[in-house]
Structure formats: structure tokens, C-alpha cells
Amino acid sequence: MRIVLLFLLQFGLSAWGNAWALSLSPVPVAPNVYAFIGDTGMRSVENEGMNANSGFVVTDEGVVVIDSGSTWQVAKEIHRAIRAVTRQPVKIVVNTGGQDHRWLGNGYFKSIGAEIIAARPALADMQARGAMQLDGLSQTLGEKAAGTQPVYPDRLFDQSETLRLGGQEIQLLYFHGGHTPGDSVVWLPKQGVLFSGDLVFVDRLLGVLPFSSATDWLASFNVMEKLGPKTIVPGHGQVCDLDRARRDTGDYLRLLITHMKQAVDKGIALQEAIDSLDQSAFSRLANFDLLKGGNASRVYLEMESQ
Ligand SMILES: [Zn+2]
């Protein structure tokens, strides 16, 4: 009797667990190009740390995944969702940066034989922050982070690398980093589709973090604009066009930098510079109240150190 009860309890719990597992649905962006749109809130048990976008390109010679997700289990879910679209194997995974949700799913994809590629500065960032990221995720996600290990890219590129697979041309481009030092983009010139990684945030306020550089970020954004993408899969938020990316990311970075540079040049103190900055044009974006103060003070400190 006790065994039966234990069995029922265990079976019931695992069914419950599965019912609550993250489920990803690919959004078609162009023929054979798909995005996964993650939650725009903070990392949580419900979103399994996948509060960011990723995606994939299907070719006749295999699939290229853009960003491996936040955990082993999320990577496995990405793979399940890909297999619902194609039987082609995942050949290559690109990490567009060193944030946890861009690369901590690498271990799963490596286990199914994929090669992992990233821009060179992303590796140093992963090595510096990987243990801390995993610690943070384990605390937030508990069991949901099980099996996740920091697995580094197999291959690095410097400025650019072009993947040619099954007639598709997939360009990996590194500009100057920004949100993180290793931020790169994936550009599909034929389709006019850009996977911007963390260089573009829409719908939610971007975060200038201790390892970010607003100056580098805006410089990267300016180069990226010149590609003239028709469609952008941003790092965070819904699929958008360049105008939207400018409104939610480029314009905001420009506001922060211009205001704080002037303040530092005039010898205005940090608190006064923060108080006199009007960010209200961006209050429509999610996480505004949470991030606006930190963004202002970090960009001030960055301008002061230049
Ligand atoms: Zn991100």
C-alpha cells in the first residue's frame, strides 16, 4: 500500500512538474527563420530564466541555433520546439553574448553534437561570470537549473564570420559589444533579418549593468543600423523593425549619454545629474521603475571615467 502511495505521489508530482514546464513556440520571421520570444520580466521559476529571445535558421544541411537558452532544460525545450518544425539536426549554436540566457544551454546542444561559436570577447565574459550566473540561476530556479553547467564555445571569431549552410548565408558580426563586452549579432542578408542579441531591447527598458558600456553599445547600435535590417529579432521584446529599435534602444542610450556627459563636463554631482535627467519618454517600457535609477548612475560613472 505504501509503495503504491509513493508511486502515486511521485507520478503525480512529476506530472505536475511537466505541466508547469516552460513551453516555447517558434514564431516564423521569414521562410525557414524562427524566433522564440521570451518573457520580458525578471528571471523566475515560471520563465525558467528564459527572459530573453533566441531563434533558429533551418537549412538543407542542418539547423543553426541563435542562443542556447538559460539552462540545460530550456535548451532541451528549444530543441523539442525545433524538432516540431524540422527533422534537420542542430549543427551550429551561436552565442550572441555572455549573459546567462545566451549560453548556459550550451551543454545540452554540445551533448547532441552541435558546434558552438561566439565572438572572442564573449568567452572572457563567460569565464569571468559563468560561475556567478549559474549560482544565481540555481538559487532562483532550484530543480529547474539541474544539469546546467558552464560549457564554453568550441570556436571564436573576431570581427566577422560567414556560415554557409544549405544555400543559406548567415553572417556573425561583432562591433563593439555594449550590454555585455561580447555582444554580437547574426545577420541574414538575403532575408534582411537581424538577430540583434542584447544590442536591442524593445517593449522593456534596457539595463546598463556593471559590465555594460553605454558608449560601446551606442557605437555598436550605429553600425548595426547601417545593415538596414527589415526585421529585427531583438534580444528582449517582440519582433520589430529598425524604427522601433531606435525608439526603444538607440534613442534611450543617446539620452543617457548626452545628459550625463554634459553633467560631468559641467562638474555636476552624481545625484543632481540623476535628478535632472528626464527619462519619462521611456516610462511606457516594462521594468522602467526598476532600472531607470541604475542606468542613470552607471552612465554618469562611465562618463566620469572617460
Ligand atoms: Zn539579455
Side-chain angles (χ1 to χ4, degrees):
M1 181 62 183
R2 207 174 140 202
I3 287 166
V4 172
L5 268 177
L6 273 176
F7 173 80
L8 277 176
L9 191 66
Q10 219 163 30
F11 180 78
L13 280 178
S14 70
W16 173 261
N18 286 338
W20 282 94
L22 181 73
S23 167
L24 293 170
S25 327
V27 177
V29 176
N32 300 311
V33 183
Y34 299 84
F36 294 111
I37 305 301
D39 191 14
T40 49
M42 298 293 124
R43 291 163 185 80
S44 68
V45 176
E46 288 72 29
N47 64 35
E48 300 194 25
M50 195 51 188
N51 60 339
N53 300 339
S54 65
F56 62 100
V57 181
V58 180
T59 83
D60 295 341
E61 290 171 55
V63 174
V64 177
V65 172
I66 296 124
D67 294 324
S68 60
S70 47
T71 63
W72 174 285
Q73 292 177 43
V74 167
K76 200 171 167 187
E77 169 59 14
I78 289 175
H79 190 210
R80 185 207 58 77
I82 291 171
R83 273 182 309 191
V85 171
T86 177
R87 301 316 287 179
Q88 287 287 342
V90 175
K91 286 273 176 66
I92 293 173
V93 173
V94 181
N95 300 142
T96 64
Q99 277 297 72
D100 46 7
H101 40 232
R102 309 256 162 246
W103 74 284
L104 282 180
N106 282 0
Y108 173 79
F109 284 106
K110 185 134 180 156
S111 80
I112 59 163
E115 185 189 31
I116 300 160
I117 308 178
R120 191 171 302 278
L123 175 63
D125 189 28
M126 291 166 181
Q127 287 168 333
R129 294 194 295 131
M132 197 182 68
Q133 290 173 347
L134 192 54
D135 240 43
L137 272 181
S138 304
Q139 276 176 34
T140 308
L141 304 185
E143 264 303 290
K144 299 271 186 199
T148 310
Q149 286 298 326
V151 171
Y152 300 121
D154 299 304
R155 200 147 61 75
L156 303 171
F157 68 95
D158 289 303
Q159 301 303 320
S160 68
E161 164 149 352
T162 301
L163 308 173
R164 288 178 213 282
L165 218 68
Q168 296 270 19
E169 183 183 341
I170 301 168
Q171 294 181 7
L172 317 184
L173 304 171
Y174 178 78
F175 307 128
H176 308 281
H179 179 61
T180 73
D183 287 342
S184 62
V185 303
V186 175
W187 171 232
L188 309 174
K190 245 190 330 202
Q191 297 92 334
V193 174
L194 180 79
F195 286 85
S196 70
D198 281 329
L199 292 183
V200 178
F201 284 52
V202 300
D203 306 330
R204 56 153 291 185
L205 197 72
L206 62 82
V208 180
L209 301 174
F211 42 81
S212 307
S213 160
T215 311
D216 289 345
W217 195 339
L218 186 57
S220 291
F221 191 92
N222 291 338
V223 183
M224 188 200 76
E225 271 187 319
K226 297 204 175 79
L227 296 170
K230 276 200 300 220
T231 308
I232 299 176
V233 179
H236 301 266
Q238 296 295 320
V239 175
C240 65
D241 60 10
L242 188 54
D243 270 354
R244 185 62 190 263
R246 282 192 190 114
R247 278 205 300 276
D248 291 4
T249 294
D251 291 353
Y252 181 62
L253 287 170
R254 211 167 288 114
L255 171 74
L256 289 173
I257 291 169
T258 309
H259 180 90
M260 291 309 179
K261 180 151 181 17
Q262 275 172 9
V264 167
D265 287 349
K266 286 184 194 157
I268 293 169
L270 172 66
Q271 194 54 52
E272 200 189 328
I274 294 173
D275 293 343
S276 60
L277 171 64
D278 180 8
Q279 305 193 48
S280 61
F282 300 92
S283 61
R284 60 191 159 80
L285 300 173
N287 310 323
F288 178 76
D289 289 325
L290 195 67
L291 298 175
K292 63 175 180 181
N295 288 349
S297 70
R298 289 205 182 94
V299 175
Y300 179 93
L301 296 173
E302 185 182 326
M303 295 304 124
E304 204 180 31
S305 72
Q306 278 177 354

